[in-house]
Amino acid sequence: MQSMTVEEREEAFTDVARLLDSAAFEAMIEGNRKFAIFSKNMAEAIRLNADELAREDARHAQRVMQQATDLIRQFETVHPYRMRSHSVH
C-alpha cells in the first residue's frame, strides 16, 4: 500500500468495501445476521472514509485494509462455494 498513489489506495478501499457488501448480502441470505451486519457496517465505514484512509499514514491504512481482507477471508473459508446467482423466484 505504501507504494500506491492516493487514487490507487482509494480505489482499493472502494473495491474492498464492495466485496464486504457482497459477503454481507450472502451472509444475510444464509441467515448469518451477525456477520452480515458487521460486514455491512465495515463496508459503509470504509466507503465513507476511503478518501481519508487513502491520504492518511500508509501503515494505518494497511491495518484497516488487513482487517477488512481478514474478514473477507474468514467468510470465504466458511463459505468456499459462493453464490453465483441472486435470482428470486
Side-chain angles (χ1 to χ4, degrees):
M1 282 218 97
Q2 293 177 348
S3 63
M4 297 170 76
T5 67
V6 171
E7 292 81 16
E8 290 171 332
R9 282 198 297 255
E10 187 173 357
E11 187 174 328
F13 280 115
T14 303
D15 290 342
V16 166
R18 197 173 304 121
L19 289 171
L20 284 167
D21 275 335
S22 177
F25 180 75
E26 289 182 42
M28 186 61 84
I29 288 174
E30 294 175 1
N32 190 344
R33 189 169 187 258
K34 184 178 177 180
F35 183 87
I37 291 170
F38 185 74
S39 294
K40 186 70 173 170
N41 287 340
M42 186 175 219
E44 193 64 27
I46 289 172
R47 190 176 293 108
L48 289 173
N49 297 299
D51 182 54
E52 289 177 40
L53 287 167
R55 295 178 191 286
E56 282 184 4
D57 178 25
R59 287 176 288 167
H60 175 68
Q62 181 65 38
R63 280 194 306 269
V64 172
M65 185 66 79
Q66 186 63 49
Q67 290 173 347
T69 54
D70 286 348
L71 189 61
I72 292 167
R73 275 195 209 108
Q74 177 186 359
F75 183 75
E76 288 176 348
T77 299
V78 175
H79 302 89
Y81 305 106
R82 311 270 312 257
M83 291 190 313
R84 299 274 184 216
S85 172
H86 303 292
S87 62
V88 178
H89 298 279

